[in-house]
Amino acid sequence: MTDGETGRVFRLAYVPGVTPAKWVNVWTERMPGVPIALVAVPAAEVVALLRDGGADAGFVRLPVDRDGLSVIPLYVETTVVVVPKDHAVAAADEVAVTDLADDEVFHPLDDTIEWEIRPGLPSFTRPATTAGAVELVAAGTGLLLVPQSLARLHHRRDLTYRPVADAPQSQVALAWPTDATTDLVEDFIGIVRGRTVNSSRGRTPASPAAKPAQRQAQKPAQKATQNGSGRRAVPTGRKKKGHRPR
């Protein structure tokens, strides 16, 4: 950490369903002089927040408009269908999109899944939020497909969810304004990518990687001199007497 970073706060945005705790804990251990401030933001607003300077970096759900942003995809989430506990789907371990053909399926305005063809029957309304759609599912008026983390976030005792094997999936990524790639951003990228505290910022040290190759290059020479008799190895162009090809 440089003197210019002392007293700064690293602002990290995250969308619903993403749990940044493991990365925040590592940051707190490594960067005790730079507090981290978490900014919860709806998925539809996170890109605007980053571009406006409201956060240094943020966890987003792909796809997003990448203009002016740097993006590192992190992981893909299973898509699940949220249903009342007494729904027929609840009896299965896993379902397919075609199993939902006769059900009304809500498509909230903040949906983060890209659908080429929306599953099920059109619902009577488009809820503004996923939370609102969950309330309608609990009322028995339709079903909802969401990333699994959102189903957990909006868990209710009267609802359950099941994986939908052939549904599109949601991908979580780390994003930040490319023109604002500060040292603190680089430090956080290193944490997300699993770099150790001694790793070079933004790159992998070259010297440790070269050692295995050097050892391999030395092995033939060692075998040639350590044959127990002190004689030199047979040159490549001469055949060793009595040697049979494999």
Side-chain angles (χ1 to χ4, degrees), residues 29-30 83 97 101 142 152-153 171 202:
E29 293 174 0
R30 293 187 187 178
V83 300
V97 169
R152 290 173 176 168
L153 178 66
Q171 188 170 25

Side-chain angles (χ1 to χ4, degrees), residues 69-203:
L69 296 181
S70 295
V71 177
I72 301 176
L74 299 177
Y75 59 89
V76 175
E77 284 197 72
T78 298
T79 297
V80 301
V81 58
V82 180
V83 300
K85 282 192 172 180
D86 59 356
H87 193 280
V89 164
D93 293 329
E94 183 179 87
V95 298
V97 169
T98 54
D99 295 329
L100 311 176
D102 297 330
D103 289 283
E104 291 188 20
V105 176
F106 292 110
H107 184 227
L109 295 177
D110 65 353
D111 188 9
T112 59
I113 300 175
E114 276 201 316
W115 297 99
E116 291 185 7
I117 301 176
R118 294 177 189 170
L121 302 173
S123 59
F124 68 93
T125 184
R126 286 199 68 184
T129 65
T130 296
V134 170
E135 294 293 329
L136 291 173
V137 173
T141 56
L143 311 182
L144 175 66
L145 281 85
V146 291
Q148 184 168 305
S149 65
L150 290 182
R152 290 173 176 168
L153 178 66
H154 298 291
H155 172 70
R156 293 174 50 118
R157 291 183 178 180
D158 53 348
L159 300 180
T160 188
Y161 59 85
R162 294 292 183 270
V164 184
D166 55 348
Q169 295 177 313
S170 174
Q171 188 170 25
V172 173
L174 177 68
W176 68 95
T178 303
D179 292 341
T181 308
T182 63
D183 287 344
L184 291 181
V185 170
E186 288 283 8
D187 286 328
F188 191 74
I189 292 169
I191 289 172
V192 170
R193 284 182 162 167
R195 296 191 195 116
T196 65
V197 68
N198 295 322
S199 297
S200 297
R201 177 181 291 160
R203 55 187 165 185

Side-chain angles (χ1 to χ4, degrees), residues 13-54:
Y14 67 100
V15 297
V18 175
T19 306
K22 64 179 180 180
W23 298 296
V24 172
N25 290 339
V26 176
W27 176 277
T28 302
E29 293 174 0
R30 293 187 187 178
M31 311 285 288
V34 183
I36 187 167
L38 297 179
V39 183
V41 58
E45 300 175 15
V46 64
V47 169
L49 180 78
L50 292 172
R51 288 183 178 144
D52 292 343

